[in-house]
Amino acid sequence: MRSSAPAPRVITVVGPTAAGKSDLGVFLAQQLDGEVVNADSMQLYRGMDIGTAKLTLSERGDVPHHLLDIWDVTETASVAEYQRLARAEIDRLLAAGRTPVLVGGSGLYVKGAIDALEFPGTDPGVRARLEEELVERGSGALHARLAAADPEAGRAILASNGRRIVRALEVIEITGKPFTANLPGNDAVYDTVQIGVDVARPELDERIALRVDRMWTAGLVDEVRALEAHGLREGRTASRALGYQQVLAALAQECTEDEARAETVRATKRFARRQDSWFRRDPRVHWLNGAVEHRGELPHQALALVERAVTA
């Protein structure tokens, strides 16, 4: 039965992978005359279904889902482009009297959609030079330069994340300001209620391992093999997605399939911790317990939270 309470302008459902965000988003959309707007960067890619745990049509519960399957795997992800698309969907839904329910664990994408965030431009010449240095000198050397120029950015960006290091150095060179000066604050552009799904690490780690097992059983290797024929290996963003990167390595005989599977579990656990840390920094997120023993209570607690926020 749908709630009679007026809904806020935008709801977000955030948290680490495997926490249960997708199902909660569907429930809230059903209860609040809403529609889901995807905020998972890898679910934007066509054909990347199994490895991203994309909900099937039946699992979406007749709730319209937007910003799924819009990019080819050869396209490089752009937060600025996502921001444009997400705000267009949010504004369209609001104009139609519907509740946008933004669901996903890509922290910068969520902030790009709901917060005042401007993206510095890019300079192809600067980018090309930095990328050439990355190939020649490695990410460690560039990370050392970044840490010297912007210590806060050096702490926030992993030394192994060459793509983000290059972008940070590019922004510093273009703007003459620290990269962190361009990072988002908490100035919202929509009235928003943010819900975080919290699952303790031991249980979350177990869920991640089981999810990876299910992905392999469901045919992740075949999915990657099919996408490879459509340019996945050349896709600068999609080829690095969790699971896909590891399977591509196995298909190239750089490791065994069992090793790829084990590394997918390890990498996903590390990623989930980074997601949790990102969202914990935002004091506007209301955290609810998503543990298995609270699974029956979670949807109704979330709905009550939304309704309290509206009537407060």
Side-chain angles (χ1 to χ4, degrees), residues 16-23 40 43 49-55 203-218 220 261 264-265 268 271 275:
T17 188
K21 302 183 296 296
S22 297
D23 290 341
D40 181 313
Q43 291 192 8
D49 302 331
I50 297 172
T52 66
K54 198 178 291 178
L55 292 183
E203 181 179 342
L204 188 65
D205 285 350
E206 184 178 352
R207 288 192 195 183
I208 288 169
L210 290 172
R211 173 179 280 192
V212 172
D213 285 344
R214 288 196 298 268
M215 288 174 176
W216 243 263
T217 301
L220 177 60
R261 188 172 183 163
T264 299
V265 173
T268 305
F271 178 64
Q275 287 176 298

PDB file of all heavy atoms in Angstrom, residues 16-23 40 43 49-55 203-218 220 261 264-265 268 271 275:
ATOM      1  N   PRO A  16      27.627   0.725   0.515  1.00  0.00           N
ATOM      2  CA  PRO A  16      28.557  -0.148  -0.199  1.00  0.00           C
ATOM      3  C   PRO A  16      27.849  -1.192  -1.044  1.00  0.00           C
ATOM      4  O   PRO A  16      26.650  -1.467  -0.870  1.00  0.00           O
ATOM      5  CB  PRO A  16      29.362  -0.805   0.930  1.00  0.00           C
ATOM      6  CG  PRO A  16      28.428  -0.791   2.107  1.00  0.00           C
ATOM      7  CD  PRO A  16      27.643   0.478   1.975  1.00  0.00           C
ATOM      8  N   THR A  17      28.599  -1.783  -1.950  1.00  0.00           N
ATOM      9  CA  THR A  17      28.062  -2.835  -2.801  1.00  0.00           C
ATOM     10  C   THR A  17      27.596  -4.013  -1.960  1.00  0.00           C
ATOM     11  O   THR A  17      28.165  -4.308  -0.910  1.00  0.00           O
ATOM     12  CB  THR A  17      29.139  -3.289  -3.813  1.00  0.00           C
ATOM     13  OG1 THR A  17      28.567  -4.168  -4.761  1.00  0.00           O
ATOM     14  CG2 THR A  17      30.310  -3.961  -3.121  1.00  0.00           C
ATOM     15  N   ALA A  18      26.521  -4.662  -2.388  1.00  0.00           N
ATOM     16  CA  ALA A  18      25.936  -5.844  -1.736  1.00  0.00           C
ATOM     17  C   ALA A  18      25.198  -5.527  -0.442  1.00  0.00           C
ATOM     18  O   ALA A  18      24.794  -6.437   0.281  1.00  0.00           O
ATOM     19  CB  ALA A  18      26.997  -6.916  -1.479  1.00  0.00           C
ATOM     20  N   ALA A  19      24.972  -4.238  -0.160  1.00  0.00           N
ATOM     21  CA  ALA A  19      24.279  -3.883   1.074  1.00  0.00           C
ATOM     22  C   ALA A  19      22.764  -4.044   0.970  1.00  0.00           C
ATOM     23  O   ALA A  19      22.075  -4.146   1.991  1.00  0.00           O
ATOM     24  CB  ALA A  19      24.608  -2.446   1.476  1.00  0.00           C
ATOM     25  N   GLY A  20      22.225  -4.034  -0.257  1.00  0.00           N
ATOM     26  CA  GLY A  20      20.783  -4.167  -0.435  1.00  0.00           C
ATOM     27  C   GLY A  20      20.113  -2.888  -0.901  1.00  0.00           C
ATOM     28  O   GLY A  20      18.901  -2.705  -0.693  1.00  0.00           O
ATOM     29  N   LYS A  21      20.865  -2.017  -1.558  1.00  0.00           N
ATOM     30  CA  LYS A  21      20.329  -0.723  -1.998  1.00  0.00           C
ATOM     31  C   LYS A  21      19.252  -0.860  -3.064  1.00  0.00           C
ATOM     32  O   LYS A  21      18.240  -0.164  -3.043  1.00  0.00           O
ATOM     33  CB  LYS A  21      21.459   0.158  -2.543  1.00  0.00           C
ATOM     34  CG  LYS A  21      22.581   0.444  -1.572  1.00  0.00           C
ATOM     35  CD  LYS A  21      23.625   1.374  -2.161  1.00  0.00           C
ATOM     36  CE  LYS A  21      24.359   0.768  -3.354  1.00  0.00           C
ATOM     37  NZ  LYS A  21      25.160  -0.417  -3.005  1.00  0.00           N
ATOM     38  N   SER A  22      19.484  -1.734  -4.021  1.00  0.00           N
ATOM     39  CA  SER A  22      18.586  -1.813  -5.181  1.00  0.00           C
ATOM     40  C   SER A  22      17.173  -2.198  -4.774  1.00  0.00           C
ATOM     41  O   SER A  22      16.194  -1.576  -5.207  1.00  0.00           O
ATOM     42  CB  SER A  22      19.133  -2.816  -6.201  1.00  0.00           C
ATOM     43  OG  SER A  22      20.388  -2.396  -6.700  1.00  0.00           O
ATOM     44  N   ASP A  23      17.045  -3.220  -3.931  1.00  0.00           N
ATOM     45  CA  ASP A  23      15.712  -3.658  -3.495  1.00  0.00           C
ATOM     46  C   ASP A  23      15.018  -2.581  -2.672  1.00  0.00           C
ATOM     47  O   ASP A  23      13.809  -2.362  -2.805  1.00  0.00           O
ATOM     48  CB  ASP A  23      15.827  -4.954  -2.682  1.00  0.00           C
ATOM     49  CG  ASP A  23      16.222  -6.149  -3.529  1.00  0.00           C
ATOM     50  OD1 ASP A  23      16.058  -6.086  -4.770  1.00  0.00           O
ATOM     51  OD2 ASP A  23      16.706  -7.148  -2.964  1.00  0.00           O
ATOM     52  N   ASP A  40      24.852   4.024 -10.252  1.00  0.00           N
ATOM     53  CA  ASP A  40      25.971   3.081 -10.281  1.00  0.00           C
ATOM     54  C   ASP A  40      26.682   3.276 -11.615  1.00  0.00           C
ATOM     55  O   ASP A  40      26.111   3.026 -12.679  1.00  0.00           O
ATOM     56  CB  ASP A  40      25.456   1.648 -10.151  1.00  0.00           C
ATOM     57  CG  ASP A  40      26.566   0.613 -10.147  1.00  0.00           C
ATOM     58  OD1 ASP A  40      27.468   0.694 -11.008  1.00  0.00           O
ATOM     59  OD2 ASP A  40      26.533  -0.299  -9.305  1.00  0.00           O
ATOM     60  N   GLN A  43      26.608   0.366 -14.151  1.00  0.00           N
ATOM     61  CA  GLN A  43      25.321  -0.054 -14.691  1.00  0.00           C
ATOM     62  C   GLN A  43      24.859   0.856 -15.832  1.00  0.00           C
ATOM     63  O   GLN A  43      23.869   0.567 -16.504  1.00  0.00           O
ATOM     64  CB  GLN A  43      24.262  -0.103 -13.585  1.00  0.00           C
ATOM     65  CG  GLN A  43      24.502  -1.225 -12.592  1.00  0.00           C
ATOM     66  CD  GLN A  43      23.315  -1.466 -11.677  1.00  0.00           C
ATOM     67  OE1 GLN A  43      22.241  -0.915 -11.850  1.00  0.00           O
ATOM     68  NE2 GLN A  43      23.517  -2.321 -10.684  1.00  0.00           N
ATOM     69  N   ASP A  49      25.640  -6.678 -17.233  1.00  0.00           N
ATOM     70  CA  ASP A  49      24.482  -6.998 -16.403  1.00  0.00           C
ATOM     71  C   ASP A  49      24.843  -7.868 -15.205  1.00  0.00           C
ATOM     72  O   ASP A  49      24.554  -7.518 -14.063  1.00  0.00           O
ATOM     73  CB  ASP A  49      23.418  -7.707 -17.245  1.00  0.00           C
ATOM     74  CG  ASP A  49      22.960  -6.883 -18.437  1.00  0.00           C
ATOM     75  OD1 ASP A  49      23.008  -5.639 -18.346  1.00  0.00           O
ATOM     76  OD2 ASP A  49      22.581  -7.476 -19.465  1.00  0.00           O
ATOM     77  N   ILE A  50      25.470  -9.006 -15.479  1.00  0.00           N
ATOM     78  CA  ILE A  50      25.756  -9.967 -14.411  1.00  0.00           C
ATOM     79  C   ILE A  50      26.770  -9.391 -13.432  1.00  0.00           C
ATOM     80  O   ILE A  50      26.573  -9.421 -12.203  1.00  0.00           O
ATOM     81  CB  ILE A  50      26.268 -11.288 -15.004  1.00  0.00           C
ATOM     82  CG1 ILE A  50      25.181 -11.928 -15.881  1.00  0.00           C
ATOM     83  CG2 ILE A  50      26.688 -12.251 -13.897  1.00  0.00           C
ATOM     84  CD1 ILE A  50      25.662 -13.136 -16.666  1.00  0.00           C
ATOM     85  N   GLY A  51      27.863  -8.863 -13.952  1.00  0.00           N
ATOM     86  CA  GLY A  51      28.937  -8.390 -13.091  1.00  0.00           C
ATOM     87  C   GLY A  51      28.618  -7.137 -12.309  1.00  0.00           C
ATOM     88  O   GLY A  51      29.325  -6.810 -11.349  1.00  0.00           O
ATOM     89  N   THR A  52      27.576  -6.407 -12.687  1.00  0.00           N
ATOM     90  CA  THR A  52      27.180  -5.202 -11.950  1.00  0.00           C
ATOM     91  C   THR A  52      25.953  -5.453 -11.072  1.00  0.00           C
ATOM     92  O   THR A  52      25.470  -4.515 -10.425  1.00  0.00           O
ATOM     93  CB  THR A  52      26.869  -4.039 -12.907  1.00  0.00           C
ATOM     94  OG1 THR A  52      25.701  -4.364 -13.687  1.00  0.00           O
ATOM     95  CG2 THR A  52      28.046  -3.753 -13.830  1.00  0.00           C
ATOM     96  N   ALA A  53      25.463  -6.682 -11.058  1.00  0.00           N
ATOM     97  CA  ALA A  53      24.261  -7.034 -10.284  1.00  0.00           C
ATOM     98  C   ALA A  53      23.073  -6.167 -10.659  1.00  0.00           C
ATOM     99  O   ALA A  53      22.279  -5.755  -9.821  1.00  0.00           O
ATOM    100  CB  ALA A  53      24.536  -6.947  -8.778  1.00  0.00           C
ATOM    101  N   LYS A  54      22.952  -5.901 -11.942  1.00  0.00           N
ATOM    102  CA  LYS A  54      21.838  -5.096 -12.451  1.00  0.00           C
ATOM    103  C   LYS A  54      20.527  -5.859 -12.231  1.00  0.00           C
ATOM    104  O   LYS A  54      20.433  -7.041 -12.542  1.00  0.00           O
ATOM    105  CB  LYS A  54      22.057  -4.825 -13.941  1.00  0.00           C
ATOM    106  CG  LYS A  54      21.256  -3.693 -14.537  1.00  0.00           C
ATOM    107  CD  LYS A  54      21.632  -3.511 -16.010  1.00  0.00           C
ATOM    108  CE  LYS A  54      23.041  -2.969 -16.166  1.00  0.00           C
ATOM    109  NZ  LYS A  54      23.427  -2.831 -17.600  1.00  0.00           N
ATOM    110  N   LEU A  55      19.514  -5.195 -11.688  1.00  0.00           N
ATOM    111  CA  LEU A  55      18.229  -5.853 -11.472  1.00  0.00           C
ATOM    112  C   LEU A  55      17.623  -6.286 -12.799  1.00  0.00           C
ATOM    113  O   LEU A  55      17.670  -5.553 -13.790  1.00  0.00           O
ATOM    114  CB  LEU A  55      17.250  -4.921 -10.755  1.00  0.00           C
ATOM    115  CG  LEU A  55      17.552  -4.541  -9.309  1.00  0.00           C
ATOM    116  CD1 LEU A  55      16.413  -3.673  -8.768  1.00  0.00           C
ATOM    117  CD2 LEU A  55      17.763  -5.750  -8.420  1.00  0.00           C
ATOM    118  N   GLU A 203      29.556  -9.577   7.772  1.00  0.00           N
ATOM    119  CA  GLU A 203      28.411 -10.000   6.962  1.00  0.00           C
ATOM    120  C   GLU A 203      28.520  -9.479   5.537  1.00  0.00           C
ATOM    121  O   GLU A 203      28.215 -10.197   4.575  1.00  0.00           O
ATOM    122  CB  GLU A 203      27.099  -9.516   7.585  1.00  0.00           C
ATOM    123  CG  GLU A 203      25.873  -9.953   6.785  1.00  0.00           C
ATOM    124  CD  GLU A 203      24.555  -9.513   7.392  1.00  0.00           C
ATOM    125  OE1 GLU A 203      24.529  -9.169   8.596  1.00  0.00           O
ATOM    126  OE2 GLU A 203      23.549  -9.523   6.653  1.00  0.00           O
ATOM    127  N   LEU A 204      28.974  -8.238   5.380  1.00  0.00           N
ATOM    128  CA  LEU A 204      29.111  -7.685   4.039  1.00  0.00           C
ATOM    129  C   LEU A 204      30.142  -8.467   3.232  1.00  0.00           C
ATOM    130  O   LEU A 204      29.929  -8.767   2.050  1.00  0.00           O
ATOM    131  CB  LEU A 204      29.506  -6.212   4.111  1.00  0.00           C
ATOM    132  CG  LEU A 204      29.489  -5.455   2.783  1.00  0.00           C
ATOM    133  CD1 LEU A 204      28.072  -5.375   2.227  1.00  0.00           C
ATOM    134  CD2 LEU A 204      30.073  -4.054   2.945  1.00  0.00           C
ATOM    135  N   ASP A 205      31.252  -8.835   3.866  1.00  0.00           N
ATOM    136  CA  ASP A 205      32.270  -9.632   3.171  1.00  0.00           C
ATOM    137  C   ASP A 205      31.702 -10.966   2.712  1.00  0.00           C
ATOM    138  O   ASP A 205      31.994 -11.441   1.610  1.00  0.00           O
ATOM    139  CB  ASP A 205      33.473  -9.868   4.088  1.00  0.00           C
ATOM    140  CG  ASP A 205      34.354  -8.642   4.237  1.00  0.00           C
ATOM    141  OD1 ASP A 205      34.149  -7.673   3.486  1.00  0.00           O
ATOM    142  OD2 ASP A 205      35.246  -8.653   5.111  1.00  0.00           O
ATOM    143  N   GLU A 206      30.881 -11.575   3.564  1.00  0.00           N
ATOM    144  CA  GLU A 206      30.258 -12.853   3.196  1.00  0.00           C
ATOM    145  C   GLU A 206      29.296 -12.663   2.030  1.00  0.00           C
ATOM    146  O   GLU A 206      29.254 -13.482   1.102  1.00  0.00           O
ATOM    147  CB  GLU A 206      29.525 -13.438   4.397  1.00  0.00           C
ATOM    148  CG  GLU A 206      28.918 -14.805   4.147  1.00  0.00           C
ATOM    149  CD  GLU A 206      28.240 -15.388   5.372  1.00  0.00           C
ATOM    150  OE1 GLU A 206      28.370 -14.799   6.467  1.00  0.00           O
ATOM    151  OE2 GLU A 206      27.575 -16.432   5.230  1.00  0.00           O
ATOM    152  N   ARG A 207      28.534 -11.585   2.058  1.00  0.00           N
ATOM    153  CA  ARG A 207      27.607 -11.308   0.953  1.00  0.00           C
ATOM    154  C   ARG A 207      28.362 -11.109  -0.359  1.00  0.00           C
ATOM    155  O   ARG A 207      27.931 -11.562  -1.419  1.00  0.00           O
ATOM    156  CB  ARG A 207      26.786 -10.054   1.261  1.00  0.00           C
ATOM    157  CG  ARG A 207      25.739 -10.209   2.330  1.00  0.00           C
ATOM    158  CD  ARG A 207      24.834  -8.986   2.307  1.00  0.00           C
ATOM    159  NE  ARG A 207      24.015  -8.866   3.503  1.00  0.00           N
ATOM    160  CZ  ARG A 207      23.114  -7.919   3.700  1.00  0.00           C
ATOM    161  NH1 ARG A 207      22.946  -6.993   2.765  1.00  0.00           N
ATOM    162  NH2 ARG A 207      22.413  -7.864   4.809  1.00  0.00           N
ATOM    163  N   ILE A 208      29.480 -10.393  -0.280  1.00  0.00           N
ATOM    164  CA  ILE A 208      30.263 -10.140  -1.486  1.00  0.00           C
ATOM    165  C   ILE A 208      30.784 -11.440  -2.073  1.00  0.00           C
ATOM    166  O   ILE A 208      30.700 -11.669  -3.289  1.00  0.00           O
ATOM    167  CB  ILE A 208      31.420  -9.172  -1.168  1.00  0.00           C
ATOM    168  CG1 ILE A 208      30.863  -7.755  -0.941  1.00  0.00           C
ATOM    169  CG2 ILE A 208      32.467  -9.165  -2.290  1.00  0.00           C
ATOM    170  CD1 ILE A 208      31.870  -6.781  -0.366  1.00  0.00           C
ATOM    171  N   ALA A 209      31.301 -12.325  -1.216  1.00  0.00           N
ATOM    172  CA  ALA A 209      31.815 -13.606  -1.706  1.00  0.00           C
ATOM    173  C   ALA A 209      30.709 -14.424  -2.354  1.00  0.00           C
ATOM    174  O   ALA A 209      30.899 -15.020  -3.429  1.00  0.00           O
ATOM    175  CB  ALA A 209      32.456 -14.384  -0.558  1.00  0.00           C
ATOM    176  N   LEU A 210      29.539 -14.436  -1.738  1.00  0.00           N
ATOM    177  CA  LEU A 210      28.403 -15.182  -2.304  1.00  0.00           C
ATOM    178  C   LEU A 210      27.941 -14.548  -3.612  1.00  0.00           C
ATOM    179  O   LEU A 210      27.583 -15.254  -4.567  1.00  0.00           O
ATOM    180  CB  LEU A 210      27.256 -15.219  -1.291  1.00  0.00           C
ATOM    181  CG  LEU A 210      27.479 -16.092  -0.052  1.00  0.00           C
ATOM    182  CD1 LEU A 210      26.355 -15.886   0.958  1.00  0.00           C
ATOM    183  CD2 LEU A 210      27.570 -17.567  -0.440  1.00  0.00           C
ATOM    184  N   ARG A 211      27.943 -13.221  -3.666  1.00  0.00           N
ATOM    185  CA  ARG A 211      27.522 -12.539  -4.889  1.00  0.00           C
ATOM    186  C   ARG A 211      28.458 -12.883  -6.043  1.00  0.00           C
ATOM    187  O   ARG A 211      28.008 -13.148  -7.159  1.00  0.00           O
ATOM    188  CB  ARG A 211      27.478 -11.027  -4.676  1.00  0.00           C
ATOM    189  CG  ARG A 211      27.212 -10.260  -5.957  1.00  0.00           C
ATOM    190  CD  ARG A 211      27.140  -8.768  -5.741  1.00  0.00           C
ATOM    191  NE  ARG A 211      25.839  -8.370  -5.213  1.00  0.00           N
ATOM    192  CZ  ARG A 211      25.422  -7.102  -5.154  1.00  0.00           C
ATOM    193  NH1 ARG A 211      26.203  -6.125  -5.593  1.00  0.00           N
ATOM    194  NH2 ARG A 211      24.234  -6.809  -4.674  1.00  0.00           N
ATOM    195  N   VAL A 212      29.763 -12.881  -5.790  1.00  0.00           N
ATOM    196  CA  VAL A 212      30.715 -13.225  -6.842  1.00  0.00           C
ATOM    197  C   VAL A 212      30.518 -14.670  -7.298  1.00  0.00           C
ATOM    198  O   VAL A 212      30.562 -14.970  -8.497  1.00  0.00           O
ATOM    199  CB  VAL A 212      32.164 -12.977  -6.370  1.00  0.00           C
ATOM    200  CG1 VAL A 212      33.166 -13.520  -7.388  1.00  0.00           C
ATOM    201  CG2 VAL A 212      32.398 -11.478  -6.154  1.00  0.00           C
ATOM    202  N   ASP A 213      30.266 -15.555  -6.357  1.00  0.00           N
ATOM    203  CA  ASP A 213      29.989 -16.956  -6.726  1.00  0.00           C
ATOM    204  C   ASP A 213      28.771 -17.035  -7.642  1.00  0.00           C
ATOM    205  O   ASP A 213      28.774 -17.756  -8.651  1.00  0.00           O
ATOM    206  CB  ASP A 213      29.748 -17.805  -5.477  1.00  0.00           C
ATOM    207  CG  ASP A 213      31.040 -18.119  -4.722  1.00  0.00           C
ATOM    208  OD1 ASP A 213      32.125 -17.950  -5.314  1.00  0.00           O
ATOM    209  OD2 ASP A 213      30.948 -18.535  -3.549  1.00  0.00           O
ATOM    210  N   ARG A 214      27.724 -16.295  -7.297  1.00  0.00           N
ATOM    211  CA  ARG A 214      26.507 -16.313  -8.115  1.00  0.00           C
ATOM    212  C   ARG A 214      26.774 -15.730  -9.496  1.00  0.00           C
ATOM    213  O   ARG A 214      26.223 -16.201 -10.499  1.00  0.00           O
ATOM    214  CB  ARG A 214      25.380 -15.539  -7.419  1.00  0.00           C
ATOM    215  CG  ARG A 214      24.798 -16.251  -6.205  1.00  0.00           C
ATOM    216  CD  ARG A 214      23.465 -15.638  -5.803  1.00  0.00           C
ATOM    217  NE  ARG A 214      23.598 -14.243  -5.411  1.00  0.00           N
ATOM    218  CZ  ARG A 214      23.807 -13.826  -4.180  1.00  0.00           C
ATOM    219  NH1 ARG A 214      23.931 -14.714  -3.197  1.00  0.00           N
ATOM    220  NH2 ARG A 214      23.908 -12.536  -3.909  1.00  0.00           N
ATOM    221  N   MET A 215      27.600 -14.700  -9.568  1.00  0.00           N
ATOM    222  CA  MET A 215      27.932 -14.097 -10.864  1.00  0.00           C
ATOM    223  C   MET A 215      28.642 -15.102 -11.764  1.00  0.00           C
ATOM    224  O   MET A 215      28.353 -15.193 -12.957  1.00  0.00           O
ATOM    225  CB  MET A 215      28.805 -12.857 -10.654  1.00  0.00           C
ATOM    226  CG  MET A 215      28.066 -11.663 -10.075  1.00  0.00           C
ATOM    227  SD  MET A 215      29.205 -10.296  -9.707  1.00  0.00           S
ATOM    228  CE  MET A 215      28.030  -9.035  -9.179  1.00  0.00           C
ATOM    229  N   TRP A 216      29.569 -15.842 -11.185  1.00  0.00           N
ATOM    230  CA  TRP A 216      30.276 -16.841 -11.987  1.00  0.00           C
ATOM    231  C   TRP A 216      29.311 -17.921 -12.465  1.00  0.00           C
ATOM    232  O   TRP A 216      29.342 -18.322 -13.621  1.00  0.00           O
ATOM    233  CB  TRP A 216      31.417 -17.438 -11.175  1.00  0.00           C
ATOM    234  CG  TRP A 216      32.757 -17.146 -11.771  1.00  0.00           C
ATOM    235  CD1 TRP A 216      33.493 -17.977 -12.580  1.00  0.00           C
ATOM    236  CD2 TRP A 216      33.526 -15.946 -11.641  1.00  0.00           C
ATOM    237  NE1 TRP A 216      34.670 -17.365 -12.943  1.00  0.00           N
ATOM    238  CE2 TRP A 216      34.723 -16.114 -12.393  1.00  0.00           C
ATOM    239  CE3 TRP A 216      33.330 -14.743 -10.974  1.00  0.00           C
ATOM    240  CZ2 TRP A 216      35.709 -15.136 -12.479  1.00  0.00           C
ATOM    241  CZ3 TRP A 216      34.301 -13.771 -11.058  1.00  0.00           C
ATOM    242  CH2 TRP A 216      35.473 -13.964 -11.808  1.00  0.00           C
ATOM    243  N   THR A 217      28.424 -18.360 -11.550  1.00  0.00           N
ATOM    244  CA  THR A 217      27.449 -19.378 -11.914  1.00  0.00           C
ATOM    245  C   THR A 217      26.488 -18.874 -12.986  1.00  0.00           C
ATOM    246  O   THR A 217      26.077 -19.627 -13.881  1.00  0.00           O
ATOM    247  CB  THR A 217      26.646 -19.814 -10.666  1.00  0.00           C
ATOM    248  OG1 THR A 217      27.553 -20.325  -9.683  1.00  0.00           O
ATOM    249  CG2 THR A 217      25.634 -20.896 -11.015  1.00  0.00           C
ATOM    250  N   ALA A 218      26.154 -17.579 -12.922  1.00  0.00           N
ATOM    251  CA  ALA A 218      25.197 -16.996 -13.870  1.00  0.00           C
ATOM    252  C   ALA A 218      25.801 -16.747 -15.242  1.00  0.00           C
ATOM    253  O   ALA A 218      25.075 -16.404 -16.181  1.00  0.00           O
ATOM    254  CB  ALA A 218      24.628 -15.697 -13.305  1.00  0.00           C
ATOM    255  N   LEU A 220      29.198 -14.974 -15.837  1.00  0.00           N
ATOM    256  CA  LEU A 220      29.981 -13.746 -15.987  1.00  0.00           C
ATOM    257  C   LEU A 220      31.087 -13.906 -17.029  1.00  0.00           C
ATOM    258  O   LEU A 220      31.325 -12.994 -17.827  1.00  0.00           O
ATOM    259  CB  LEU A 220      30.590 -13.332 -14.645  1.00  0.00           C
ATOM    260  CG  LEU A 220      31.493 -12.094 -14.676  1.00  0.00           C
ATOM    261  CD1 LEU A 220      30.734 -10.868 -15.166  1.00  0.00           C
ATOM    262  CD2 LEU A 220      32.106 -11.820 -13.298  1.00  0.00           C
ATOM    263  N   ARG A 261      38.602 -15.122 -10.063  1.00  0.00           N
ATOM    264  CA  ARG A 261      37.434 -15.135  -9.167  1.00  0.00           C
ATOM    265  C   ARG A 261      37.828 -14.688  -7.762  1.00  0.00           C
ATOM    266  O   ARG A 261      37.146 -13.844  -7.152  1.00  0.00           O
ATOM    267  CB  ARG A 261      36.865 -16.554  -9.144  1.00  0.00           C
ATOM    268  CG  ARG A 261      35.552 -16.727  -8.421  1.00  0.00           C
ATOM    269  CD  ARG A 261      35.076 -18.142  -8.688  1.00  0.00           C
ATOM    270  NE  ARG A 261      33.790 -18.448  -8.121  1.00  0.00           N
ATOM    271  CZ  ARG A 261      33.056 -19.491  -8.497  1.00  0.00           C
ATOM    272  NH1 ARG A 261      33.477 -20.291  -9.461  1.00  0.00           N
ATOM    273  NH2 ARG A 261      31.898 -19.722  -7.931  1.00  0.00           N
ATOM    274  N   THR A 264      38.550 -11.015  -7.705  1.00  0.00           N
ATOM    275  CA  THR A 264      37.315 -10.231  -7.768  1.00  0.00           C
ATOM    276  C   THR A 264      36.725 -10.063  -6.376  1.00  0.00           C
ATOM    277  O   THR A 264      36.276  -8.976  -5.999  1.00  0.00           O
ATOM    278  CB  THR A 264      36.296 -10.895  -8.704  1.00  0.00           C
ATOM    279  OG1 THR A 264      36.845 -10.969 -10.023  1.00  0.00           O
ATOM    280  CG2 THR A 264      34.996 -10.108  -8.746  1.00  0.00           C
ATOM    281  N   VAL A 265      36.726 -11.134  -5.592  1.00  0.00           N
ATOM    282  CA  VAL A 265      36.222 -11.054  -4.216  1.00  0.00           C
ATOM    283  C   VAL A 265      37.059 -10.070  -3.404  1.00  0.00           C
ATOM    284  O   VAL A 265      36.525  -9.182  -2.723  1.00  0.00           O
ATOM    285  CB  VAL A 265      36.215 -12.444  -3.546  1.00  0.00           C
ATOM    286  CG1 VAL A 265      35.851 -12.319  -2.065  1.00  0.00           C
ATOM    287  CG2 VAL A 265      35.237 -13.374  -4.254  1.00  0.00           C
ATOM    288  N   THR A 268      36.566  -6.435  -4.589  1.00  0.00           N
ATOM    289  CA  THR A 268      35.238  -5.921  -4.255  1.00  0.00           C
ATOM    290  C   THR A 268      35.133  -5.579  -2.778  1.00  0.00           C
ATOM    291  O   THR A 268      34.520  -4.579  -2.394  1.00  0.00           O
ATOM    292  CB  THR A 268      34.154  -6.937  -4.653  1.00  0.00           C
ATOM    293  OG1 THR A 268      34.289  -7.273  -6.039  1.00  0.00           O
ATOM    294  CG2 THR A 268      32.762  -6.370  -4.421  1.00  0.00           C
ATOM    295  N   PHE A 271      36.861  -2.305  -2.374  1.00  0.00           N
ATOM    296  CA  PHE A 271      36.025  -1.249  -2.940  1.00  0.00           C
ATOM    297  C   PHE A 271      34.870  -0.900  -2.009  1.00  0.00           C
ATOM    298  O   PHE A 271      34.535   0.280  -1.831  1.00  0.00           O
ATOM    299  CB  PHE A 271      35.503  -1.694  -4.302  1.00  0.00           C
ATOM    300  CG  PHE A 271      34.583  -0.713  -4.963  1.00  0.00           C
ATOM    301  CD1 PHE A 271      35.032   0.542  -5.340  1.00  0.00           C
ATOM    302  CD2 PHE A 271      33.260  -1.046  -5.223  1.00  0.00           C
ATOM    303  CE1 PHE A 271      34.184   1.455  -5.959  1.00  0.00           C
ATOM    304  CE2 PHE A 271      32.406  -0.142  -5.828  1.00  0.00           C
ATOM    305  CZ  PHE A 271      32.863   1.108  -6.198  1.00  0.00           C
ATOM    306  N   GLN A 275      33.794   2.728  -0.536  1.00  0.00           N
ATOM    307  CA  GLN A 275      32.448   3.295  -0.677  1.00  0.00           C
ATOM    308  C   GLN A 275      31.899   3.729   0.681  1.00  0.00           C
ATOM    309  O   GLN A 275      31.358   4.823   0.828  1.00  0.00           O
ATOM    310  CB  GLN A 275      31.494   2.259  -1.280  1.00  0.00           C
ATOM    311  CG  GLN A 275      31.695   1.962  -2.754  1.00  0.00           C
ATOM    312  CD  GLN A 275      30.750   0.862  -3.189  1.00  0.00           C
ATOM    313  OE1 GLN A 275      30.828  -0.273  -2.689  1.00  0.00           O
ATOM    314  NE2 GLN A 275      29.867   1.168  -4.115  1.00  0.00           N
TER     315      GLN A 275
END
